[in-house]
Amino acid sequence: MRTVLIAVACALALGSAGAAAQLPQPIARVMKAHNIPASGVSVIVQSTSETSPRLSLNAEVLRNPASSIKLVTTFVALDLLGPNHTWKTEVYIRGSLKNGTLDGDLVLKGHGDPYLVTEEFWKLVGEIRNQLGIEKITGDLVIDDSIFAPIPGDEDDFDGQSHRLYNVQPSALSVNFKAFDFKLVPNRGAGKVNVIHNPPLPNLNVQSTVKLVNGKCRGNGLKIIMDVRNLPAADEVRFSGSMPASCRKYDLARTALSHPAYVYGMFKFLFRQWGGRIEGTYKNDEVEAQETPRLVWRGRELAEIIRPLNKWSNNLMTRQLLLTLAAVQQTPPVTPLQGAQQAQTHLLDLGLPAGNIIIDNGAGLSRRSRLSAEFMNAMLLTAWRHPYMPEFVSSMAISGKDGTVRKRFRGKREAGKMHLKTGRLDDVVAIAGFVRAQSGETFAVSLFVNHKDVHWGSGTELQNAVLAWTYRQG
């Protein structure tokens, strides 16, 4: 059977009209049912203990890999930086500190920490309050985010959805992914909709003119419009539209502030919790060479943060990671292009066929990114033999258990037997990772599908057919 499939793979590379019919029946059946042509599919399935694939189709064709390219960024980062790499955030004082009062400015300099989430920033602010003994700041919060060059364009350049969290641009000082959880709750007695936002930052005003209407609480009954206005004193978010009174609540995860404004708002909010007070506002400035940090905060280790990155496909974390690859080698400010070049050079040094790949921003939120299944397969097999293999594999989502594949094969034999990274854009689906077959053998799987409308469900069905077929291999 194995020999037949390898021979078939060679024939499939010709892209003939009947190629799908020669694939394993469960896979061919899905492609035929959804009119997915063989020319739009690249796949390799190979045992980690064998030198030839069990299945290969259009392996050398460069395709858009969507978010599966995050495996490339994280593997390079593990190999170059090491699993114990941490990011620092430096704290400087400009002015005089006496009896708990800083008569001047407090400076935060970021170095690209991809996971400076609320609980981490809360601890950092606590160190400023307790270790440095600062109770009151009469000046401003100065933000130095200069090690990353500004990203050209706007956050809505990709799809026009500038307030979606997946579109947040990287920053050397980024806190909590710049995220807000907005909860719209009907106040039936008052005939209006209340909006609760978390975190409740003091420099964001939230207004609602959403009307309550009759009707069932269904997706098409909710007509919520979010408008962000940048004002001198504080940014403002206005919600308008209509919401059925039968709804209990409506949740929106969005962003609304610039990185510096969010950092300032979060600092002011958390500093108050620690008993502190800042009287000024915020501004951007660079730390001078002669200045010495009064406190250096270290974030979580790389091996720890790539787990939420890959399992939940976090774009901002990945983009920060790619820029870090440049920052450890190049003179700041660094660009995504420098990070991509550093990653590609390292992959070539490892002997991987990376000459024609396009990494772009490293996260897959791109129409330019290109990988081949041949390259991904070679990288996965290299990673399987790498000293940091456990950290790399454990960062992937587990079928039927967690992450982006938590619903795949749930309650079936395949659940818990696959470590995978998914990818999805309009007309693009991808999946890559490792499958522990029922025989006990481990297989590397790489599947890229670029074809019209495959992101609506047919691509996922094809992925599941390939994965289930791989699981049954002996």
Side-chain angles (χ1 to χ4, degrees):
M1 178 66 173
R2 188 182 313 165
T3 305
V4 171
L5 285 173
I6 294 171
V8 168
C10 296
L12 292 180
L14 299 175
S16 63
Q22 301 177 65
L23 285 163
Q25 188 177 20
I27 301 171
R29 186 185 304 120
V30 172
M31 292 174 63
K32 182 178 180 181
H34 295 287
N35 295 315
I36 301 174
S39 59
V41 178
S42 292
V43 60
I44 289 187
V45 176
Q46 183 171 341
S47 168
T48 57
S49 62
E50 297 174 354
T51 57
S52 298
R54 300 279 183 97
L55 176 65
S56 177
L57 169 65
N58 298 325
E60 77 292 344
V61 177
L62 290 171
R63 300 193 192 276
N64 192 319
S67 283
S68 69
I69 201 173
K70 290 181 172 71
L71 292 181
V72 178
T73 308
T74 51
F75 175 67
V76 172
L78 275 173
D79 194 44
L80 269 178
L81 305 176
N84 303 113
H85 178 84
T86 58
W87 286 258
K88 63 182 179 180
T89 302
E90 297 172 323
V91 181
Y92 297 79
I93 288 176
R94 289 177 176 172
S96 62
L97 176 59
K98 185 177 181 180
N99 297 326
T101 296
L102 171 58
D103 189 14
D105 299 333
L106 185 78
V107 184
L108 298 180
K109 180 171 183 177
H111 288 262
D113 191 338
Y115 202 67
L116 194 56
V117 291
T118 300
E119 54 266 37
E120 294 295 309
F121 197 57
W122 178 82
K123 290 184 283 187
L124 168 56
V125 174
E127 291 293 290
I128 293 171
R129 169 65 183 86
N130 297 322
Q131 184 174 320
L132 298 185
I134 300 175
E135 298 177 11
K136 177 182 175 182
I137 302 168
T138 64
D140 297 329
L141 182 70
V142 179
I143 295 167
D144 184 346
D145 55 5
S146 60
I147 71 163
F148 292 171
I151 306 295
D154 297 321
E155 289 184 323
D156 63 353
D157 282 352
F158 181 71
D159 60 2
Q161 301 289 327
S162 60
H163 303 302
R164 297 275 186 169
L165 295 182
Y166 60 76
N167 271 328
V168 174
Q169 301 279 15
S171 168
L173 185 58
S174 173
V175 172
N176 203 44
F177 316 125
K178 222 173 51 151
F180 287 98
D181 291 322
F182 295 102
K183 188 185 299 293
L184 283 74
V185 182
N187 185 340
R188 299 174 185 86
K192 64 180 183 178
V193 175
N194 296 332
V195 181
I196 303 167
H197 64 288
N198 185 38
L201 302 190
N203 57 330
L204 181 68
N205 293 324
V206 179
Q207 305 290 331
S208 170
T209 60
V210 178
K211 298 178 180 179
L212 286 177
V213 297
N214 296 324
K216 294 183 178 180
C217 189
R218 295 174 177 171
N220 57 5
L222 289 159
K223 297 180 174 61
I224 306 297
I225 300 169
M226 175 180 168
D227 181 39
V228 178
R229 302 185 181 189
N230 300 116
L231 304 173
D235 287 335
E236 183 176 272
V237 174
R238 291 189 178 185
F239 289 96
S240 59
S242 61
M243 180 178 184
S246 58
C247 292
R248 292 180 56 195
K249 62 183 178 65
Y250 181 61
D251 294 313
L252 276 176
R254 296 289 188 270
T255 185
L257 300 173
S258 67
H259 279 291
Y262 192 99
V263 172
Y264 168 73
M266 186 67 85
F267 178 85
K268 187 172 184 177
F269 173 62
L270 297 178
F271 195 44
R272 185 185 302 155
Q273 291 184 4
W274 282 104
R277 179 162 59 96
I278 180 169
E279 296 182 341
T281 180
Y282 70 91
K283 59 189 176 186
N284 280 83
D285 194 16
E286 294 186 26
V287 171
E288 299 291 339
Q290 69 271 17
E291 293 184 85
T292 302
R294 298 290 295 271
L295 175 68
V296 178
W297 173 263
R298 287 283 178 178
R300 299 189 188 184
E301 294 182 346
L302 174 62
E304 182 179 355
I305 71 167
I306 63 171
R307 295 184 76 248
L309 186 160
N310 276 331
K311 284 181 181 289
W312 296 104
S313 203
N314 190 295
N315 289 323
L316 178 58
M317 290 176 70
T318 315
R319 298 178 74 170
Q320 301 269 119
L321 191 55
L322 186 76
L323 283 159
T324 299
L325 297 179
V328 298
Q329 301 283 339
Q330 307 287 335
T331 301
V334 296
T335 67
L337 178 59
Q338 289 175 306
Q341 290 172 338
Q342 179 64 40
Q344 191 165 14
T345 298
H346 189 69
L347 291 164
L348 289 168
D349 290 343
L350 291 173
L352 294 169
N356 295 324
I357 70 172
I358 300 174
I359 295 174
D360 200 13
N361 58 36
L365 193 71
S366 166
R367 288 294 174 184
R368 295 186 61 252
S369 298
R370 290 293 184 273
L371 297 181
S372 67
E374 176 183 54
F375 164 80
M376 181 65 84
N377 181 66
M379 194 198 76
L380 289 174
L381 294 175
T382 297
W384 186 256
R385 298 185 291 269
H386 195 277
Y388 302 146
M389 179 273 286
E391 288 80 7
F392 180 64
V393 175
S394 65
S395 74
M396 301 181 203
I398 304 172
S399 57
K401 301 294 182 181
D402 66 10
T404 59
V405 294
R406 62 194 180 281
K407 297 181 181 179
R408 304 275 189 109
F409 305 109
R410 181 177 290 176
K412 298 182 179 180
R413 294 176 301 170
E414 293 90 344
K417 304 300 193 303
M418 305 173 184
H419 285 76
L420 303 165
K421 179 72 199 76
T422 57
R424 182 181 180 274
L425 294 171
D426 287 355
D427 304 329
V428 177
V429 294
I431 203 159
F434 298 98
V435 174
R436 182 68 175 262
Q438 60 185 0
S439 64
E441 198 168 1
T442 299
F443 289 84
V445 178
S446 303
L447 172 64
F448 303 146
V449 186
N450 291 186
H451 183 64
K452 184 174 175 58
D453 292 337
V454 289
H455 62 288
W456 287 117
S458 61
T460 300
E461 190 176 339
L462 178 56
Q463 289 175 352
N464 291 345
V466 171
L467 293 169
W469 177 83
T470 304
Y471 175 75
R472 292 192 296 271
Q473 291 301 292

